[in-house]
Amino acid sequence: RLLYRESPDIVIGWGWGPWSTVFTAVAGSLVGVPRIVWSLHSQSPAHWLQTVPWWQRPLEMLTARMVDRVIACSEACREDYMRWGRIPPRKIVTVYNGVDLARVRRPPEAELRAVRASLQVEGRPLVGIVGRLSAEKDHQTFLEAMRLVHRAVPSVAAIVIGKGPDELALRKATERLGLGS
């Protein structure tokens, strides 16, 4: 109803899971939106750790035919969705997530020292990962890699920044892998 009432020139399905993309394609097609776009921000469900419903792939393959353009956040995402969703190369483009370096500043040294002190990592190499704590982000691989790095460089410290449904499981994995708190 909203698309019909607003009559947009373009509709973009952006988000997680099949619903934002599938519903965007179907709803946009039904009301005659001139341009329908999908925006993909991770690899295909074939790489997710949770079970993917049997109907998801054929449904996305079918509705991909209704869209004019698919935007992938990386070449890996683009290549993966072309295979998984059988999206033609001419229809899918890569637009990298951008960071405006002019807006990013290095904090003063005193602030950096205070943060390192609060984390108890003064004078140690620090490796981090930032992201939503959910299966498709695969923090488990980061933790397993850190176990190997820690064996080679015992002074290394790691930090995981984020919130999400996998937080408890990742805390348990951290303990199981002997990585501390």
PDB file of all heavy atoms in Angstrom, residues 133-148:
ATOM      1  N   LEU A 133      27.407  -9.417  16.453  1.00  0.00           N
ATOM      2  CA  LEU A 133      27.768 -10.762  16.878  1.00  0.00           C
ATOM      3  C   LEU A 133      26.688 -11.735  16.424  1.00  0.00           C
ATOM      4  O   LEU A 133      25.790 -12.096  17.180  1.00  0.00           O
ATOM      5  CB  LEU A 133      27.952 -10.808  18.403  1.00  0.00           C
ATOM      6  CG  LEU A 133      28.943  -9.784  18.977  1.00  0.00           C
ATOM      7  CD1 LEU A 133      29.042  -9.924  20.488  1.00  0.00           C
ATOM      8  CD2 LEU A 133      30.313  -9.935  18.326  1.00  0.00           C
ATOM      9  N   SER A 134      26.787 -12.142  15.163  1.00  0.00           N
ATOM     10  CA  SER A 134      25.822 -13.077  14.599  1.00  0.00           C
ATOM     11  C   SER A 134      26.546 -14.002  13.629  1.00  0.00           C
ATOM     12  O   SER A 134      27.651 -13.702  13.156  1.00  0.00           O
ATOM     13  CB  SER A 134      24.681 -12.338  13.915  1.00  0.00           C
ATOM     14  OG  SER A 134      25.169 -11.462  12.937  1.00  0.00           O
ATOM     15  N   ALA A 135      25.924 -15.127  13.364  1.00  0.00           N
ATOM     16  CA  ALA A 135      26.572 -16.226  12.652  1.00  0.00           C
ATOM     17  C   ALA A 135      27.207 -15.821  11.332  1.00  0.00           C
ATOM     18  O   ALA A 135      28.327 -16.242  11.028  1.00  0.00           O
ATOM     19  CB  ALA A 135      25.560 -17.356  12.433  1.00  0.00           C
ATOM     20  N   GLU A 136      26.521 -15.009  10.531  1.00  0.00           N
ATOM     21  CA  GLU A 136      27.057 -14.704   9.209  1.00  0.00           C
ATOM     22  C   GLU A 136      28.325 -13.861   9.263  1.00  0.00           C
ATOM     23  O   GLU A 136      29.064 -13.783   8.291  1.00  0.00           O
ATOM     24  CB  GLU A 136      26.002 -14.041   8.315  1.00  0.00           C
ATOM     25  CG  GLU A 136      25.622 -12.639   8.682  1.00  0.00           C
ATOM     26  CD  GLU A 136      24.572 -12.549   9.776  1.00  0.00           C
ATOM     27  OE1 GLU A 136      24.186 -13.577  10.373  1.00  0.00           O
ATOM     28  OE2 GLU A 136      24.126 -11.429  10.055  1.00  0.00           O
ATOM     29  N   LYS A 137      28.626 -13.246  10.396  1.00  0.00           N
ATOM     30  CA  LYS A 137      29.863 -12.473  10.548  1.00  0.00           C
ATOM     31  C   LYS A 137      31.046 -13.377  10.892  1.00  0.00           C
ATOM     32  O   LYS A 137      32.197 -12.970  10.791  1.00  0.00           O
ATOM     33  CB  LYS A 137      29.698 -11.390  11.626  1.00  0.00           C
ATOM     34  CG  LYS A 137      28.595 -10.389  11.316  1.00  0.00           C
ATOM     35  CD  LYS A 137      28.863  -9.631  10.042  1.00  0.00           C
ATOM     36  CE  LYS A 137      27.808  -8.581   9.789  1.00  0.00           C
ATOM     37  NZ  LYS A 137      28.044  -7.845   8.564  1.00  0.00           N
ATOM     38  N   ASP A 138      30.765 -14.586  11.328  1.00  0.00           N
ATOM     39  CA  ASP A 138      31.770 -15.635  11.580  1.00  0.00           C
ATOM     40  C   ASP A 138      32.901 -15.200  12.520  1.00  0.00           C
ATOM     41  O   ASP A 138      34.076 -15.343  12.203  1.00  0.00           O
ATOM     42  CB  ASP A 138      32.332 -16.157  10.261  1.00  0.00           C
ATOM     43  CG  ASP A 138      33.061 -17.489  10.433  1.00  0.00           C
ATOM     44  OD1 ASP A 138      32.928 -18.117  11.507  1.00  0.00           O
ATOM     45  OD2 ASP A 138      33.780 -17.890   9.507  1.00  0.00           O
ATOM     46  N   HIS A 139      32.531 -14.703  13.684  1.00  0.00           N
ATOM     47  CA  HIS A 139      33.530 -14.344  14.692  1.00  0.00           C
ATOM     48  C   HIS A 139      34.283 -15.571  15.191  1.00  0.00           C
ATOM     49  O   HIS A 139      35.392 -15.453  15.712  1.00  0.00           O
ATOM     50  CB  HIS A 139      32.862 -13.628  15.873  1.00  0.00           C
ATOM     51  CG  HIS A 139      32.432 -12.235  15.549  1.00  0.00           C
ATOM     52  ND1 HIS A 139      31.277 -11.957  14.866  1.00  0.00           N
ATOM     53  CD2 HIS A 139      33.013 -11.046  15.817  1.00  0.00           C
ATOM     54  CE1 HIS A 139      31.161 -10.655  14.726  1.00  0.00           C
ATOM     55  NE2 HIS A 139      32.199 -10.076  15.286  1.00  0.00           N
ATOM     56  N   GLN A 140      33.685 -16.738  15.046  1.00  0.00           N
ATOM     57  CA  GLN A 140      34.341 -17.979  15.471  1.00  0.00           C
ATOM     58  C   GLN A 140      35.690 -18.135  14.769  1.00  0.00           C
ATOM     59  O   GLN A 140      36.678 -18.514  15.395  1.00  0.00           O
ATOM     60  CB  GLN A 140      33.438 -19.180  15.171  1.00  0.00           C
ATOM     61  CG  GLN A 140      33.999 -20.505  15.637  1.00  0.00           C
ATOM     62  CD  GLN A 140      34.102 -20.618  17.151  1.00  0.00           C
ATOM     63  OE1 GLN A 140      33.224 -20.166  17.863  1.00  0.00           O
ATOM     64  NE2 GLN A 140      35.170 -21.208  17.630  1.00  0.00           N
ATOM     65  N   THR A 141      35.744 -17.831  13.487  1.00  0.00           N
ATOM     66  CA  THR A 141      37.010 -17.928  12.754  1.00  0.00           C
ATOM     67  C   THR A 141      38.030 -16.940  13.310  1.00  0.00           C
ATOM     68  O   THR A 141      39.212 -17.258  13.434  1.00  0.00           O
ATOM     69  CB  THR A 141      36.779 -17.694  11.249  1.00  0.00           C
ATOM     70  OG1 THR A 141      35.921 -18.729  10.764  1.00  0.00           O
ATOM     71  CG2 THR A 141      38.083 -17.705  10.467  1.00  0.00           C
ATOM     72  N   PHE A 142      37.586 -15.731  13.665  1.00  0.00           N
ATOM     73  CA  PHE A 142      38.494 -14.760  14.277  1.00  0.00           C
ATOM     74  C   PHE A 142      39.074 -15.323  15.564  1.00  0.00           C
ATOM     75  O   PHE A 142      40.282 -15.241  15.805  1.00  0.00           O
ATOM     76  CB  PHE A 142      37.753 -13.444  14.559  1.00  0.00           C
ATOM     77  CG  PHE A 142      38.571 -12.447  15.332  1.00  0.00           C
ATOM     78  CD1 PHE A 142      39.546 -11.694  14.709  1.00  0.00           C
ATOM     79  CD2 PHE A 142      38.371 -12.277  16.693  1.00  0.00           C
ATOM     80  CE1 PHE A 142      40.313 -10.774  15.428  1.00  0.00           C
ATOM     81  CE2 PHE A 142      39.127 -11.364  17.424  1.00  0.00           C
ATOM     82  CZ  PHE A 142      40.101 -10.616  16.783  1.00  0.00           C
ATOM     83  N   LEU A 143      38.220 -15.920  16.404  1.00  0.00           N
ATOM     84  CA  LEU A 143      38.692 -16.476  17.678  1.00  0.00           C
ATOM     85  C   LEU A 143      39.682 -17.619  17.453  1.00  0.00           C
ATOM     86  O   LEU A 143      40.710 -17.706  18.136  1.00  0.00           O
ATOM     87  CB  LEU A 143      37.514 -16.943  18.528  1.00  0.00           C
ATOM     88  CG  LEU A 143      36.557 -15.846  18.994  1.00  0.00           C
ATOM     89  CD1 LEU A 143      35.381 -16.464  19.760  1.00  0.00           C
ATOM     90  CD2 LEU A 143      37.274 -14.806  19.831  1.00  0.00           C
ATOM     91  N   GLU A 144      39.390 -18.476  16.504  1.00  0.00           N
ATOM     92  CA  GLU A 144      40.311 -19.587  16.213  1.00  0.00           C
ATOM     93  C   GLU A 144      41.643 -19.066  15.676  1.00  0.00           C
ATOM     94  O   GLU A 144      42.708 -19.584  16.026  1.00  0.00           O
ATOM     95  CB  GLU A 144      39.660 -20.563  15.246  1.00  0.00           C
ATOM     96  CG  GLU A 144      38.511 -21.321  15.891  1.00  0.00           C
ATOM     97  CD  GLU A 144      37.652 -22.097  14.905  1.00  0.00           C
ATOM     98  OE1 GLU A 144      38.039 -22.206  13.716  1.00  0.00           O
ATOM     99  OE2 GLU A 144      36.594 -22.588  15.330  1.00  0.00           O
ATOM    100  N   ALA A 145      41.589 -18.019  14.845  1.00  0.00           N
ATOM    101  CA  ALA A 145      42.820 -17.403  14.351  1.00  0.00           C
ATOM    102  C   ALA A 145      43.604 -16.782  15.498  1.00  0.00           C
ATOM    103  O   ALA A 145      44.837 -16.891  15.559  1.00  0.00           O
ATOM    104  CB  ALA A 145      42.498 -16.352  13.287  1.00  0.00           C
ATOM    105  N   MET A 146      42.898 -16.144  16.425  1.00  0.00           N
ATOM    106  CA  MET A 146      43.589 -15.527  17.567  1.00  0.00           C
ATOM    107  C   MET A 146      44.273 -16.575  18.437  1.00  0.00           C
ATOM    108  O   MET A 146      45.331 -16.319  19.009  1.00  0.00           O
ATOM    109  CB  MET A 146      42.615 -14.682  18.391  1.00  0.00           C
ATOM    110  CG  MET A 146      42.279 -13.353  17.749  1.00  0.00           C
ATOM    111  SD  MET A 146      43.721 -12.423  17.144  1.00  0.00           S
ATOM    112  CE  MET A 146      44.714 -12.292  18.607  1.00  0.00           C
ATOM    113  N   ARG A 147      43.686 -17.755  18.539  1.00  0.00           N
ATOM    114  CA  ARG A 147      44.350 -18.829  19.302  1.00  0.00           C
ATOM    115  C   ARG A 147      45.699 -19.151  18.655  1.00  0.00           C
ATOM    116  O   ARG A 147      46.707 -19.291  19.338  1.00  0.00           O
ATOM    117  CB  ARG A 147      43.468 -20.068  19.348  1.00  0.00           C
ATOM    118  CG  ARG A 147      44.110 -21.194  20.167  1.00  0.00           C
ATOM    119  CD  ARG A 147      43.254 -22.411  20.213  1.00  0.00           C
ATOM    120  NE  ARG A 147      43.060 -22.883  18.835  1.00  0.00           N
ATOM    121  CZ  ARG A 147      42.410 -23.973  18.521  1.00  0.00           C
ATOM    122  NH1 ARG A 147      41.850 -24.710  19.434  1.00  0.00           N
ATOM    123  NH2 ARG A 147      42.288 -24.340  17.267  1.00  0.00           N
ATOM    124  N   LEU A 148      45.735 -19.223  17.330  1.00  0.00           N
ATOM    125  CA  LEU A 148      46.988 -19.502  16.624  1.00  0.00           C
ATOM    126  C   LEU A 148      47.975 -18.346  16.763  1.00  0.00           C
ATOM    127  O   LEU A 148      49.172 -18.556  16.980  1.00  0.00           O
ATOM    128  CB  LEU A 148      46.707 -19.779  15.146  1.00  0.00           C
ATOM    129  CG  LEU A 148      45.849 -21.000  14.846  1.00  0.00           C
ATOM    130  CD1 LEU A 148      45.504 -21.065  13.357  1.00  0.00           C
ATOM    131  CD2 LEU A 148      46.533 -22.277  15.305  1.00  0.00           C
TER     132      LEU A 148
END
